[in-house]
């Protein structure tokens, strides 16, 4: 590929460039920026000066200015993959997703079979929530001769897993292991998929194999503990996890996961005081990492939703009513996976898992989220509806009714109703104390900040009920509530009522989910294989004595 010829650098300029490096080493970023800009005024086309400007502004956290100078470098060397990669990474950090893709697309217009560019763009598409494009570009990278193939196979497995093509993902992981039997990431992801498929012994063997080769592979130990019900004979795993958690070499994120796993393990052993102590520490670590729940923001969101969600606004839907997705909403650990698995046994449905499409839309548009509720936002809503339908189509949904069980979609129920008037909503509900404890005992995703505090979860629940009650007053006929306690006591009656609500005929397979070989990739993947039981009803009472007085009052005052 074409590159610029080496530029002659005067000795005085070399000295000034070295001075910039010394200033950066002292972390005096403003001084480095000023010197770099003064050099740019004198040598506007010099690549070394442009690189110094880029470095100074990147180190100073001013990515927009860094991008300006990096683009000047790219114009000088349009086929420089390093420049393309850096610009893509920085513009993505600035929220400019299309621009991040564009640098690679421009390069690929000139060199359509560039294996490294195809691979990097494929990885980027997965990072930006477009798994179908990710798969397409990674396959092109392989065809163009990308090396090492194992990297491409691994990324393909991850992207295919994102769109619920787990069987194909397993195939690519096995191809990695044919080339490199000791590939730890491939072994780990294969073990995770086998665990999701209910292949308990196979997954445990793989996790154990990983830990034999690398005792510091913390996530394998965490998954192993979560995948089995701990007994007194398993205390060697607990001792191992405790040593790892105490080690000064263990990173904070690893320590967080280990404490959640240890809390789960001691709960299995009914050593409730030790279990709660680990969970308290785990949640403190997670809250420190992801930040606290913002109660004021949540209340403001619900207030604005109540203002904007009116019969008039809902009266002009975006899509036709023939598209009939099923959304399971409510809280994590409220029985949503059981409901999903009941429905997934029906021949007319397709399980999508927990699709975070609307949650991510809100997080990326939170300052402008309600702009789409205005009359000028109709085209944006059409685009949003099209993107969601495209995504679930990539997952293989076809003509079946997709089941999206992302609980936080309750926050966006009004928007979803506007987009898809044929949608139906199943609200799962559980006794609050049991639900709060189960959420507190689970390491949720980083977007669900309400889970790290019992008091925060009580506030989140209150706001969710405000919004849900408002939506019931507008379109309650398409919302059906399932009580966890009733479901585990009378599963067939619950399943029949669900199918009647969805206008589907009864199929006995809806109650046979514990024997299916499908992939369940939620926090309840192990429990759902046990079949329906009532052991978790009233579980929260075992931990009340460990709550603070404020926590106890907040949890007992709610349903």
């Amino acid at each position: 590929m074409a590159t610029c010829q080496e530029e002659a650098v005067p000795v005085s300029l070399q000295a000034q460039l070295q001075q910039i490096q010394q200033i950066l080493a002292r972390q005096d970023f403003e001084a480095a920026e000023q010197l770099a800009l003064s050099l740019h005024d004198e040598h506007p086309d010099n690549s070394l000066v442009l690189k110094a400007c880029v470095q100074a502004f990147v180190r100073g956290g001013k990515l927009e200015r860094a991008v300006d100078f990096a683009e000047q470098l790219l114009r000088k060397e349009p086929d420089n993959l390093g420049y393309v990669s850096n610009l893509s990474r920085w513009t993505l950090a600035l929220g400019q997703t299309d621009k991040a893709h564009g640098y690679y697309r421009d390069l690929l217009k000139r060199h359509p079979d560039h294996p490294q560019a195809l691979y990097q763009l494929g990885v980027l598409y997965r990072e930006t929530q477009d798994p179908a494009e990710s798969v397409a570009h990674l396959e092109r990278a392989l065809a163009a001769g990308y090396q090492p193939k194992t990297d491409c196979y691994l990324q393909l497995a991850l992207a295919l897993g994102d769109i619920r093509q787990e069987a194909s993902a397993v195939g690519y992981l096995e191809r990695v292991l044919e080339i490199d039997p000791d590939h730890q990431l491939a072994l780990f992801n294969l073990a995770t998929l086998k665990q999701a498929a209910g292949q308990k012994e196979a997954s445990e063997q793989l996790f154990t194999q990983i830990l034999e080769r690398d005792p510091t592979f913390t996530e394998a130990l965490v998954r192993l503990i979560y995948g089995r019900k701990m007994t007194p004979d398993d205390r060697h795993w607990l001792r191992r996890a405790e040593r790892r958690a105490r080690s000064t070499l263990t990173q904070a994120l690893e320590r967080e996961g280990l404490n959640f796993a240890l809390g789960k393990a001691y709960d299995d052993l009914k050593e409730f005081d030790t279990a709660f102590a680990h969970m308290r520490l785990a949640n403190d670590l997670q809250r420190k990492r992801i930040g606290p729940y913002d109660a004021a923001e949540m209340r403001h969101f619900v207030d604005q939703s109540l203002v904007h969600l009116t019969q008039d606004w809902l009266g002009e839907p975006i899509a036709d009513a023939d598209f009939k997705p099923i959304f399971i909403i409510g809280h994590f650990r409220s029985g949503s996976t059981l409901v999903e698995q009941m429905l997934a046994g029906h021949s007319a449905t397709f399980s999508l898992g927990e699709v975070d499409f609307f949650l991510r839309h809100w997080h990326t548009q939170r300052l402008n989220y309600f702009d789409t509720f205005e009359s000028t936002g109709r085209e944006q809503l059409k685009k949003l509806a099209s993107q969601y339908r495209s995504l679930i189509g990539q997952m293989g949904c076809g003509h079946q009714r997709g089941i999206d069980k992302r609980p936080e979609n309750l926050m966006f129920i009004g928007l979803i109703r506007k987009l898809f008037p044929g949608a139906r909503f199943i609200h799962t509900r559980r006794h609050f104390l049991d639900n709060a404890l189960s959420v507190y005992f689970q390491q949720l995703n980083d977007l669900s900040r309400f889970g790290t505090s019992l008091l925060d979860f009580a506030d989140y629940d209150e706001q969710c009920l405000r919004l849900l009650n408002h939506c019931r007053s507008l379109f309650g006929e398409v919302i059906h509530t399932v009580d966890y306690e009733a479901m585990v006591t009378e599963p067939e009656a619950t399943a029949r009522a669900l199918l009647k609500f969805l206008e589907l005929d009864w199929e006995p397979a809806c109650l046979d989910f514990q024997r299916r070989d499908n992939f369940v990739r939620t926090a309840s993947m192990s429990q759902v294989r046990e079949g329906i039981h009532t052991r978790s009803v009233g579980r929260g009472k075992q931990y009340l004595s460990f709550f603070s007085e404020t926590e106890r009052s907040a949890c007992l005052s709610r349903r």
Side-chain angles (χ1 to χ4, degrees):
M1 290 191 176
T3 59
C4 289
Q5 294 181 350
E6 289 293 324
E7 302 173 52
V9 183
V11 173
S12 59
L13 179 56
Q14 288 181 4
Q16 290 173 303
L17 291 170
Q18 289 176 356
Q19 187 180 356
I20 291 174
Q21 297 304 313
Q22 293 166 357
I23 296 171
L24 287 173
R26 298 197 304 268
Q27 298 189 353
D28 188 351
F29 303 127
E30 186 173 346
E33 292 163 9
Q34 293 303 317
L35 180 53
L37 287 173
S38 68
L39 292 181
H40 182 258
D41 289 340
E42 298 176 25
H43 310 277
D45 294 321
N46 186 285
S47 293
L48 292 177
V49 171
L50 290 170
K51 289 178 182 178
C53 290
V54 170
Q55 188 178 16
F57 283 109
V58 167
R59 292 286 304 279
K62 299 175 182 176
L63 290 184
E64 290 182 351
R65 295 297 307 276
V67 165
D68 291 340
F69 290 106
E71 286 182 337
Q72 293 180 48
L73 282 167
L74 186 62
R75 284 193 290 271
K76 291 165 70 68
E77 298 183 51
D79 295 337
N80 188 311
L81 184 61
Y83 294 164
V84 167
S85 178
N86 286 333
L87 279 163
S88 178
R89 186 171 72 254
W90 295 330
T91 49
L92 185 63
L94 292 168
Q96 301 168 9
T97 303
D98 289 341
K99 195 171 183 180
H101 295 155
Y103 294 115
Y104 284 107
R105 287 197 294 261
D106 289 343
L107 176 57
L108 289 167
K109 285 177 185 176
R110 296 186 299 275
H111 306 280
D113 295 322
H114 191 305
Q116 287 78 18
L118 288 165
Y119 172 80
Q120 291 181 17
L121 182 54
V123 173
L124 178 63
Y125 271 123
R126 178 172 181 261
E127 184 179 350
T128 54
Q129 310 298 309
D130 195 341
E133 283 294 327
S134 176
V135 170
H137 282 79
L138 291 167
E139 288 177 340
R140 284 178 59 192
L142 277 175
Y146 181 84
Q147 294 291 339
K149 287 184 177 181
T150 52
D151 287 357
C152 231
Y153 291 154
L154 179 61
Q155 291 297 328
L156 275 163
L158 296 173
L160 288 163
D162 290 342
I163 51 177
R164 301 312 305 268
Q165 296 183 32
E166 290 96 344
S168 297
V170 168
Y172 274 112
L173 292 171
E174 289 174 342
R175 290 169 78 172
V176 174
L177 295 170
E178 287 173 5
I179 298 170
D180 180 3
D182 296 329
H183 197 295
Q184 291 287 74
L185 286 177
L187 286 167
F188 175 76
N189 282 283
L190 183 59
T192 300
L193 286 174
K194 288 188 178 295
Q195 190 175 59
Q199 300 174 28
K200 182 178 177 181
E201 290 185 7
S203 67
E204 285 191 3
Q205 287 175 0
L206 288 169
F207 286 133
T208 302
Q209 181 180 341
I210 292 167
L211 290 166
E212 287 173 351
R213 295 174 182 175
D214 181 5
T216 68
F217 202 126
T218 299
E219 188 62 21
L221 180 57
V222 168
R223 293 293 182 98
L224 191 152
I225 291 172
Y226 267 107
R228 63 186 294 158
K229 189 172 182 64
M230 289 288 141
T231 69
D233 292 337
D234 295 316
R235 287 190 181 274
H236 63 287
W237 291 118
L238 276 63
R239 289 193 292 271
R240 186 168 184 170
E242 287 168 334
R243 285 196 302 271
R244 185 71 187 147
R246 289 194 301 266
S247 171
T248 57
L249 301 176
T250 302
Q251 299 296 314
L253 180 58
E254 294 177 281
R255 187 171 290 109
E256 177 186 318
L258 286 163
N259 276 284
F260 273 111
L262 284 163
K264 178 265 180 194
Y266 281 109
D267 181 72
D268 287 345
L269 295 170
K270 301 188 184 304
E271 296 181 21
F272 302 126
D273 54 345
T274 306
F276 195 79
H278 280 292
M279 288 303 185
R280 184 74 88 185
L281 177 56
N283 279 286
D284 288 346
L285 288 168
Q286 187 176 28
R287 184 165 56 256
K288 181 178 180 181
R289 177 174 61 85
I290 68 176
Y293 165 75
D294 191 334
E297 180 184 48
M298 184 65 187
R299 291 192 191 96
H300 177 73
F301 174 84
V302 173
D303 288 342
Q304 290 298 304
S305 296
L306 267 54
V307 169
H308 286 87
L309 291 176
T310 65
Q311 288 287 12
D312 288 343
W313 185 74
L314 292 168
E316 298 182 10
I318 298 300
D320 59 67
D322 292 337
F323 179 60
K324 299 180 178 180
I326 302 164
F327 292 88
I328 302 174
I329 60 173
H331 293 319
F332 288 102
R333 315 297 288 164
S334 64
S336 57
T337 300
L338 280 178
V339 170
E340 177 204 33
Q341 291 303 302
M342 282 182 174
L343 295 178
H346 199 282
S347 58
T349 66
F350 182 88
S351 175
L352 301 168
E354 295 179 350
V355 184
D356 62 3
F357 178 86
F358 291 105
L359 184 62
R360 288 195 176 276
H361 168 69
W362 177 62
H363 273 274
T364 56
Q365 301 291 325
R366 56 203 314 162
L367 296 178
N368 306 308
Y369 175 79
F370 288 102
D371 290 353
T372 56
F373 286 66
E374 307 298 334
S375 58
T376 55
R378 189 167 179 83
E379 289 305 312
Q380 293 173 274
L381 292 176
K382 288 181 179 178
K383 181 179 179 181
L384 198 65
S386 176
Q387 289 173 337
Y388 182 80
R389 295 189 68 164
S390 174
L391 175 62
I392 68 171
Q394 294 169 21
M395 294 180 176
C397 194
H399 298 293
Q400 296 167 300
R401 295 177 69 174
I403 308 167
D404 183 340
K405 70 165 293 284
R406 185 77 190 193
E408 295 118 316
N409 280 336
L410 188 152
M411 294 171 59
F412 318 113
I413 182 174
L415 173 63
I416 295 169
R417 171 69 171 171
K418 172 77 170 181
L419 298 180
F420 310 124
R424 294 295 180 267
F425 303 93
I426 299 168
H427 170 229
T428 55
R429 183 172 60 183
R430 185 178 180 186
H431 189 279
F432 184 79
L433 176 60
D434 291 345
N435 202 164
L437 183 78
S438 291
V439 167
Y440 194 67
F441 271 41
Q442 191 67 47
Q443 187 179 22
L444 299 180
N445 68 86
D446 292 354
L447 300 181
S448 304
R449 295 180 175 180
F450 52 79
T452 62
S453 160
L454 293 163
L455 296 177
D456 289 344
F457 185 65
D459 181 85
Y460 176 73
D461 177 67
E462 180 180 349
Q463 302 311 315
C464 285
L465 287 179
R466 283 180 61 213
L467 178 56
L468 182 62
N469 288 336
H470 177 74
C471 291
R472 283 189 186 281
S473 72
L474 298 174
F475 48 90
E477 70 280 2
V478 299
I479 304 172
H480 177 79
T481 294
V482 173
D483 283 313
Y484 174 83
E485 292 78 14
M487 176 170 55
V488 297
T489 304
E490 300 181 38
E492 183 171 336
T494 299
R496 286 184 178 275
L498 277 170
L499 295 179
K500 182 179 180 180
F501 166 70
L502 296 170
E503 300 180 311
L504 295 173
D505 294 331
W506 169 253
E507 293 183 5
C510 291
L511 294 180
D512 292 337
F513 53 83
Q514 69 268 28
R515 290 192 290 271
R516 291 183 209 139
D517 60 358
N518 62 328
F519 292 85
V520 181
R521 300 176 67 184
T522 72
S524 302
M525 62 182 166
S526 297
Q527 293 93 323
V528 79
R529 303 294 180 187
E530 300 174 4
I532 296 174
H533 58 78
T534 60
R535 293 193 301 273
S536 296
V537 176
R539 175 182 176 225
K541 295 178 182 177
Q542 298 165 334
Y543 285 92
L544 268 178
S545 62
F546 307 117
F547 289 17
S548 71
E549 187 60 42
T550 308
E551 291 171 333
R552 192 179 302 116
S553 175
C555 289
L556 292 178
S557 66
R558 307 196 65 75
R559 178 193 176 277

